Short mmCIF file of all heavy atoms in Angstrom, two decimals:
data_model
loop_
_atom_site.label_atom_id
_atom_site.label_comp_id
_atom_site.label_asym_id
_atom_site.label_seq_id
_atom_site.Cartn_x
_atom_site.Cartn_y
_atom_site.Cartn_z
N LEU N 171 138.04 194.47 95.16
CA LEU N 171 138.01 195.94 94.84
C LEU N 171 138.92 196.79 95.77
O LEU N 171 138.88 196.63 96.98
CB LEU N 171 136.52 196.49 95.02
CG LEU N 171 136.28 197.78 94.30
CD1 LEU N 171 136.54 197.67 92.72
CD2 LEU N 171 134.87 198.17 94.68
N GLY N 172 139.95 197.46 95.14
CA GLY N 172 140.92 198.27 95.88
C GLY N 172 142.16 197.53 96.14
O GLY N 172 143.08 198.32 96.70
N ALA N 173 142.35 196.43 95.79
CA ALA N 173 143.63 195.65 95.90
C ALA N 173 144.72 196.16 95.01
O ALA N 173 144.51 196.42 93.83
CB ALA N 173 143.39 194.24 95.85
N ARG N 174 145.94 196.02 95.42
CA ARG N 174 147.11 196.28 94.70
C ARG N 174 147.69 194.75 94.46
O ARG N 174 147.79 194.02 95.32
CB ARG N 174 148.11 197.13 95.38
CG ARG N 174 147.82 198.59 95.39
CD ARG N 174 148.93 199.36 95.96
NE ARG N 174 150.17 198.77 96.44
CZ ARG N 174 150.78 199.18 97.59
NH1 ARG N 174 150.28 200.15 98.25
NH2 ARG N 174 151.82 198.58 97.92
N ASN N 175 148.35 194.72 93.18
CA ASN N 175 148.93 193.41 92.85
C ASN N 175 150.48 193.54 93.11
O ASN N 175 151.22 194.24 92.30
CB ASN N 175 148.60 193.09 91.44
CG ASN N 175 149.11 191.66 91.08
OD1 ASN N 175 149.48 191.52 89.91
ND2 ASN N 175 149.00 190.72 91.95
N ILE N 176 151.01 192.82 94.06
CA ILE N 176 152.44 192.64 94.10
C ILE N 176 152.56 191.12 94.32
O ILE N 176 152.41 190.42 95.35
CB ILE N 176 152.97 193.23 95.45
CG1 ILE N 176 152.70 194.73 95.42
CG2 ILE N 176 154.47 192.99 95.63
CD1 ILE N 176 153.24 195.50 96.69
N PRO N 177 152.83 190.44 93.12
CA PRO N 177 152.89 189.10 93.07
C PRO N 177 154.08 188.48 94.00
O PRO N 177 155.07 189.08 94.20
CB PRO N 177 153.26 188.67 91.54
CG PRO N 177 152.79 189.90 90.91
CD PRO N 177 153.06 191.02 91.84
N TYR N 178 153.79 187.28 94.59
CA TYR N 178 154.74 186.73 95.46
C TYR N 178 156.16 186.56 94.80
O TYR N 178 157.15 186.73 95.36
CB TYR N 178 154.28 185.39 96.01
CG TYR N 178 155.25 184.69 96.91
CD1 TYR N 178 155.40 185.13 98.25
CD2 TYR N 178 155.92 183.60 96.52
CE1 TYR N 178 156.44 184.51 99.06
CE2 TYR N 178 156.90 182.94 97.38
CZ TYR N 178 157.03 183.40 98.65
OH TYR N 178 157.86 182.82 99.42
N SER N 179 156.05 186.19 93.47
CA SER N 179 157.31 186.08 92.75
C SER N 179 158.14 187.30 92.62
O SER N 179 159.24 187.19 92.30
CB SER N 179 156.99 185.45 91.36
OG SER N 179 156.11 186.40 90.58
N GLN N 180 157.55 188.36 92.88
CA GLN N 180 158.30 189.68 92.77
C GLN N 180 158.47 190.45 94.06
O GLN N 180 158.93 191.49 94.21
CB GLN N 180 157.44 190.74 91.80
CG GLN N 180 157.28 190.24 90.43
CD GLN N 180 156.35 191.19 89.69
OE1 GLN N 180 155.95 192.26 90.10
NE2 GLN N 180 155.86 190.63 88.50
N LEU N 181 158.14 189.73 95.12
CA LEU N 181 158.13 190.29 96.53
C LEU N 181 159.46 190.73 97.02
O LEU N 181 159.59 191.84 97.41
CB LEU N 181 157.55 189.26 97.46
CG LEU N 181 157.31 189.73 98.87
CD1 LEU N 181 156.29 190.90 99.05
CD2 LEU N 181 157.03 188.69 99.89
N ARG N 182 160.52 190.03 96.69
CA ARG N 182 161.91 190.41 97.23
C ARG N 182 162.23 191.82 96.49
O ARG N 182 162.99 192.63 97.16
CB ARG N 182 162.83 189.40 96.84
CG ARG N 182 162.67 188.15 97.71
CD ARG N 182 163.80 187.11 97.58
NE ARG N 182 163.59 185.87 98.31
CZ ARG N 182 163.66 185.67 99.67
NH1 ARG N 182 163.86 186.74 100.37
NH2 ARG N 182 163.31 184.58 100.09
N GLN N 183 161.83 192.01 95.35
CA GLN N 183 162.24 193.25 94.57
C GLN N 183 161.15 194.38 94.96
O GLN N 183 161.65 195.58 94.84
CB GLN N 183 162.19 193.14 93.07
CG GLN N 183 163.10 192.13 92.53
CD GLN N 183 162.81 190.75 92.66
OE1 GLN N 183 161.61 190.29 92.72
NE2 GLN N 183 163.73 189.76 92.90
N ARG N 184 160.00 194.05 95.46
CA ARG N 184 159.02 195.11 95.52
C ARG N 184 158.37 195.33 96.89
O ARG N 184 157.60 196.14 97.09
CB ARG N 184 157.88 194.79 94.49
CG ARG N 184 158.25 194.83 93.06
CD ARG N 184 157.06 194.52 92.15
NE ARG N 184 156.05 195.45 92.29
CZ ARG N 184 154.84 195.36 91.87
NH1 ARG N 184 154.44 194.29 91.15
NH2 ARG N 184 153.86 196.23 92.06
N TYR N 185 158.92 194.69 97.86
CA TYR N 185 158.27 194.71 99.20
C TYR N 185 158.46 196.19 99.83
O TYR N 185 157.50 196.61 100.55
CB TYR N 185 158.91 193.68 100.22
CG TYR N 185 160.19 194.03 100.75
CD1 TYR N 185 160.41 194.81 101.91
CD2 TYR N 185 161.35 193.71 100.06
CE1 TYR N 185 161.67 195.07 102.40
CE2 TYR N 185 162.69 194.01 100.51
CZ TYR N 185 162.73 194.66 101.68
OH TYR N 185 163.97 195.09 102.20
N LYS N 186 159.30 196.96 99.33
CA LYS N 186 159.41 198.32 99.92
C LYS N 186 158.27 199.23 99.42
O LYS N 186 158.10 200.27 99.97
CB LYS N 186 160.73 198.89 99.57
CG LYS N 186 161.81 198.34 100.28
CD LYS N 186 163.28 198.94 100.21
CE LYS N 186 164.23 198.15 100.95
NZ LYS N 186 165.64 198.73 100.75
N GLU N 187 157.46 198.81 98.46
CA GLU N 187 156.26 199.51 98.04
C GLU N 187 155.22 199.41 99.06
O GLU N 187 154.17 200.14 99.03
CB GLU N 187 155.73 198.94 96.72
CG GLU N 187 156.70 199.07 95.58
CD GLU N 187 156.10 198.41 94.28
OE1 GLU N 187 154.87 198.25 94.12
OE2 GLU N 187 156.91 198.12 93.45
N ILE N 188 155.34 198.52 100.03
CA ILE N 188 154.36 198.23 101.24
C ILE N 188 155.02 198.97 102.37
O ILE N 188 155.95 198.88 102.86
CB ILE N 188 154.23 196.86 101.49
CG1 ILE N 188 153.76 195.94 100.15
CG2 ILE N 188 153.13 196.61 102.56
CD1 ILE N 188 153.92 194.52 100.32
N ARG N 189 154.04 199.91 102.88
CA ARG N 189 154.60 200.71 104.01
C ARG N 189 154.48 199.86 105.33
O ARG N 189 153.52 199.30 105.55
CB ARG N 189 153.68 201.99 104.13
CG ARG N 189 153.82 202.92 103.15
CD ARG N 189 153.03 204.19 103.28
NE ARG N 189 153.01 204.72 104.68
CZ ARG N 189 152.56 205.90 104.96
NH1 ARG N 189 151.94 206.62 104.14
NH2 ARG N 189 152.69 206.29 106.32
N PRO N 190 155.61 199.89 106.15
CA PRO N 190 155.63 199.14 107.39
C PRO N 190 154.93 199.77 108.60
O PRO N 190 154.59 199.08 109.48
CB PRO N 190 157.13 198.97 107.69
CG PRO N 190 157.74 200.25 107.02
CD PRO N 190 157.01 200.55 105.85
N ASP N 191 154.52 200.99 108.34
CA ASP N 191 153.78 201.71 109.46
C ASP N 191 152.29 201.62 109.40
O ASP N 191 151.56 202.17 110.26
CB ASP N 191 154.19 203.13 109.51
CG ASP N 191 153.84 203.94 108.30
OD1 ASP N 191 153.85 203.39 107.16
OD2 ASP N 191 153.55 205.16 108.41
N GLN N 192 151.68 200.88 108.36
CA GLN N 192 150.29 200.65 108.27
C GLN N 192 149.97 199.27 108.13
O GLN N 192 150.86 198.41 107.79
CB GLN N 192 149.80 201.48 106.94
CG GLN N 192 150.02 202.86 106.89
CD GLN N 192 149.47 203.43 105.61
OE1 GLN N 192 149.23 202.75 104.60
NE2 GLN N 192 149.26 204.89 105.65
N PRO N 193 148.62 198.94 108.59
CA PRO N 193 148.27 197.50 108.44
C PRO N 193 148.39 196.97 107.03
O PRO N 193 148.16 197.70 106.06
CB PRO N 193 146.79 197.51 108.84
CG PRO N 193 146.66 198.74 109.71
CD PRO N 193 147.69 199.70 109.09
N VAL N 194 148.79 195.74 106.89
CA VAL N 194 148.78 195.04 105.61
C VAL N 194 147.85 193.86 105.55
O VAL N 194 147.94 192.98 106.34
CB VAL N 194 150.24 194.55 105.36
CG1 VAL N 194 150.40 193.90 103.95
CG2 VAL N 194 151.34 195.63 105.40
N TYR N 195 146.90 193.97 104.56
CA TYR N 195 145.97 192.90 104.36
C TYR N 195 146.43 192.07 103.20
O TYR N 195 146.42 192.66 102.06
CB TYR N 195 144.54 193.55 104.21
CG TYR N 195 143.88 193.78 105.65
CD1 TYR N 195 144.68 194.51 106.54
CD2 TYR N 195 142.68 193.22 105.87
CE1 TYR N 195 143.90 194.78 107.77
CE2 TYR N 195 142.04 193.60 107.16
CZ TYR N 195 142.65 194.29 108.10
OH TYR N 195 142.17 194.61 109.18
N LEU N 196 146.67 190.87 103.32
CA LEU N 196 147.23 189.92 102.17
C LEU N 196 146.16 188.98 101.95
O LEU N 196 145.40 188.42 102.68
CB LEU N 196 148.46 189.24 102.72
CG LEU N 196 149.58 190.11 103.18
CD1 LEU N 196 150.60 189.26 103.92
CD2 LEU N 196 150.23 190.83 102.05
N TYR N 197 146.23 188.64 100.56
CA TYR N 197 145.29 187.36 100.11
C TYR N 197 145.94 186.88 98.80
O TYR N 197 146.76 187.54 98.15
CB TYR N 197 143.93 187.67 99.94
CG TYR N 197 143.60 188.51 98.75
CD1 TYR N 197 143.32 187.94 97.61
CD2 TYR N 197 143.59 189.89 98.78
CE1 TYR N 197 142.94 188.68 96.45
CE2 TYR N 197 143.27 190.67 97.68
CZ TYR N 197 142.91 190.10 96.53
OH TYR N 197 142.59 190.80 95.47
N ASP N 198 145.76 185.51 98.63
CA ASP N 198 146.06 184.96 97.43
C ASP N 198 144.90 183.95 97.08
O ASP N 198 143.87 184.17 97.67
CB ASP N 198 147.47 184.17 97.47
CG ASP N 198 147.32 182.98 98.37
OD1 ASP N 198 146.48 182.77 99.01
OD2 ASP N 198 148.47 182.32 98.36
N GLN N 199 145.09 182.92 96.19
CA GLN N 199 143.98 182.05 95.83
C GLN N 199 143.54 181.31 97.07
O GLN N 199 142.34 181.10 97.24
CB GLN N 199 144.43 181.12 94.67
CG GLN N 199 143.18 180.48 94.04
CD GLN N 199 142.20 181.52 93.44
OE1 GLN N 199 142.61 182.63 93.00
NE2 GLN N 199 140.99 181.13 93.34
N ASN N 200 144.50 180.74 97.86
CA ASN N 200 144.21 179.80 99.02
C ASN N 200 144.69 180.72 100.23
O ASN N 200 144.09 181.62 100.64
CB ASN N 200 144.76 178.51 98.81
CG ASN N 200 144.20 177.69 97.79
OD1 ASN N 200 142.95 177.67 97.67
ND2 ASN N 200 145.01 177.33 96.87
N THR N 201 145.86 180.25 100.78
CA THR N 201 146.52 181.11 101.78
C THR N 201 148.09 180.67 101.75
O THR N 201 148.71 181.23 102.52
CB THR N 201 146.03 180.93 103.17
OG1 THR N 201 146.01 179.47 103.46
CG2 THR N 201 144.70 181.43 103.37
N GLY N 202 148.54 179.88 100.85
CA GLY N 202 149.90 179.48 100.93
C GLY N 202 150.85 180.57 100.67
O GLY N 202 151.80 180.86 101.38
N LYS N 203 150.61 181.31 99.58
CA LYS N 203 151.62 182.38 99.11
C LYS N 203 151.46 183.63 100.14
O LYS N 203 152.36 184.35 100.52
CB LYS N 203 151.37 182.83 97.74
CG LYS N 203 151.98 181.84 96.82
CD LYS N 203 151.70 182.28 95.22
CE LYS N 203 152.25 181.19 94.41
NZ LYS N 203 151.97 181.46 93.06
N SER N 204 150.24 183.97 100.50
CA SER N 204 150.07 184.91 101.59
C SER N 204 150.71 184.74 102.82
O SER N 204 151.24 185.69 103.51
CB SER N 204 148.53 185.34 101.65
OG SER N 204 147.76 184.33 102.14
N SER N 205 150.64 183.48 103.17
CA SER N 205 151.29 183.06 104.52
C SER N 205 152.76 183.24 104.30
O SER N 205 153.51 183.84 105.29
CB SER N 205 151.09 181.63 104.69
OG SER N 205 149.69 181.46 105.02
N ARG N 206 153.43 182.80 103.31
CA ARG N 206 154.75 182.96 103.01
C ARG N 206 155.13 184.39 102.83
O ARG N 206 156.30 184.93 103.31
CB ARG N 206 155.30 182.20 101.77
CG ARG N 206 155.27 180.70 102.06
CD ARG N 206 155.90 180.01 100.92
NE ARG N 206 155.38 180.07 99.59
CZ ARG N 206 154.36 179.26 99.15
NH1 ARG N 206 153.83 178.43 99.83
NH2 ARG N 206 153.99 179.55 97.89
N THR N 207 154.31 185.17 102.26
CA THR N 207 154.50 186.65 102.29
C THR N 207 154.56 187.25 103.59
O THR N 207 155.51 188.14 103.85
CB THR N 207 153.46 187.38 101.38
OG1 THR N 207 153.39 186.80 100.02
CG2 THR N 207 153.62 188.87 101.29
N ALA N 208 153.68 186.82 104.49
CA ALA N 208 153.59 187.37 105.95
C ALA N 208 154.92 187.09 106.62
O ALA N 208 155.51 187.86 107.30
CB ALA N 208 152.48 186.85 106.63
N LEU N 209 155.48 185.74 106.42
CA LEU N 209 156.72 185.46 107.15
C LEU N 209 157.76 186.29 106.54
O LEU N 209 158.72 186.77 107.39
CB LEU N 209 156.94 183.98 106.81
CG LEU N 209 156.06 182.97 107.57
CD1 LEU N 209 156.32 181.54 107.19
CD2 LEU N 209 156.33 183.08 109.18
N PHE N 210 157.85 186.57 105.22
CA PHE N 210 159.00 187.37 104.74
C PHE N 210 158.86 188.74 105.28
O PHE N 210 159.81 189.30 105.62
CB PHE N 210 158.87 187.40 103.21
CG PHE N 210 159.80 188.34 102.46
CD1 PHE N 210 161.08 187.89 102.34
CD2 PHE N 210 159.40 189.56 102.16
CE1 PHE N 210 162.06 188.81 101.58
CE2 PHE N 210 160.26 190.49 101.45
CZ PHE N 210 161.65 189.99 101.23
N LEU N 211 157.65 189.44 105.22
CA LEU N 211 157.46 190.78 105.73
C LEU N 211 157.72 190.85 107.21
O LEU N 211 158.32 191.90 107.58
CB LEU N 211 156.09 191.27 105.42
CG LEU N 211 155.79 191.46 104.00
CD1 LEU N 211 154.38 191.76 103.59
CD2 LEU N 211 156.75 192.48 103.22
N LYS N 212 157.38 189.87 108.02
CA LYS N 212 157.68 189.79 109.46
C LYS N 212 159.28 189.94 109.64
O LYS N 212 159.65 190.70 110.46
CB LYS N 212 157.11 188.65 110.06
CG LYS N 212 157.44 188.46 111.54
CD LYS N 212 156.44 189.36 112.29
CE LYS N 212 156.57 188.94 113.78
NZ LYS N 212 155.70 189.82 114.63
N LYS N 213 160.01 189.23 108.85
CA LYS N 213 161.41 189.33 108.88
C LYS N 213 161.98 190.66 108.56
O LYS N 213 163.05 191.01 109.06
CB LYS N 213 162.13 188.34 108.03
CG LYS N 213 162.05 186.77 108.48
CD LYS N 213 162.65 185.82 107.39
CE LYS N 213 162.33 184.45 107.80
NZ LYS N 213 162.89 183.53 106.72
N LYS N 214 161.21 191.33 107.76
CA LYS N 214 161.65 192.69 107.41
C LYS N 214 161.10 193.83 108.27
O LYS N 214 161.36 194.92 108.02
CB LYS N 214 161.12 193.01 105.87
CG LYS N 214 161.72 192.19 104.81
CD LYS N 214 163.22 192.28 104.71
CE LYS N 214 163.83 191.45 103.58
NZ LYS N 214 165.28 191.50 103.61
N GLY N 215 160.45 193.33 109.22
CA GLY N 215 160.06 194.29 110.42
C GLY N 215 158.64 194.77 110.36
O GLY N 215 158.15 195.66 111.13
N TYR N 216 157.82 194.29 109.46
CA TYR N 216 156.41 194.54 109.40
C TYR N 216 155.82 193.81 110.60
O TYR N 216 156.07 192.71 110.93
CB TYR N 216 155.81 194.13 108.13
CG TYR N 216 156.34 194.84 106.94
CD1 TYR N 216 157.53 194.68 106.39
CD2 TYR N 216 155.58 195.83 106.28
CE1 TYR N 216 158.09 195.31 105.19
CE2 TYR N 216 155.95 196.61 105.21
CZ TYR N 216 157.27 196.26 104.76
OH TYR N 216 157.77 197.00 103.61
#
Side-chain angles (χ1 to χ4, degrees):
L171 194 62
R174 284 185 1 219
N175 186 219
I176 300 179
Y178 180 74
S179 61
Q180 299 173 14
L181 185 65
R182 292 191 187 283
Q183 296 81 30
R184 297 184 57 192
Y185 77 91
K186 290 185 179 176
E187 295 175 28
I188 305 169
R189 291 182 51 172
D191 61 329
Q192 293 182 347
V194 179
Y195 278 52
L196 302 164
Y197 73 92
D198 67 351
Q199 196 62 28
N200 298 303
T201 55
K203 288 181 181 176
S204 58
S205 297
R206 290 192 298 274
T207 299
L209 286 172
F210 175 82
L211 292 174
K212 180 79 170 176
K213 286 181 188 174
K214 297 295 183 184
Y216 293 75

